[in-house]
Amino acid sequence: MYCKDCKHRKAVKKMDELPSAICVNDKYIAESVGQKDTGDMMIYQYAEGGAFYVGDRFGCVHFKKQVNYD
């Protein structure tokens, strides 16, 4: 279960040597605003709207298979 197959992966313009996708799962990184259920979240004290660049082979507990209707 890797990011390359996950529906939460969003392609972005490649910057320098960073991967060309970010994780857009709303539970993946969040600013601390008093969330109650944080057991599967990454809480950042001040996120400033940031995101994580994710490589093809990164994996996490929020994986959901992409659906392709080609």
Side-chain angles (χ1 to χ4, degrees):
M1 295 191 274
Y2 294 119
C3 284
K4 67 182 180 71
D5 301 314
C6 184
K7 78 172 198 170
H8 297 297
R9 178 185 171 98
K10 178 183 175 187
V12 295
K13 182 179 176 184
K14 191 164 180 81
M15 298 176 63
D16 301 323
E17 297 301 317
L18 295 173
S20 58
I22 59 172
C23 179
V24 295
N25 185 305
D26 61 348
K27 293 190 101 181
Y28 198 73
I29 180 173
E31 188 172 347
S32 179
V33 292
Q35 293 91 333
K36 293 181 179 164
D37 180 16
T38 59
D40 60 351
M41 295 179 72
M42 176 178 279
I43 302 294
Y44 192 75
Q45 189 167 352
Y46 192 66
E48 296 182 2
F52 279 109
Y53 285 92
V54 289
D56 287 348
R57 294 188 45 180
F58 182 80
C60 78
V61 298
H62 298 296
F63 174 85
K64 288 193 179 174
K65 181 79 173 165
Q66 288 183 28
V67 177
N68 294 321
Y69 295 103
D70 294 339

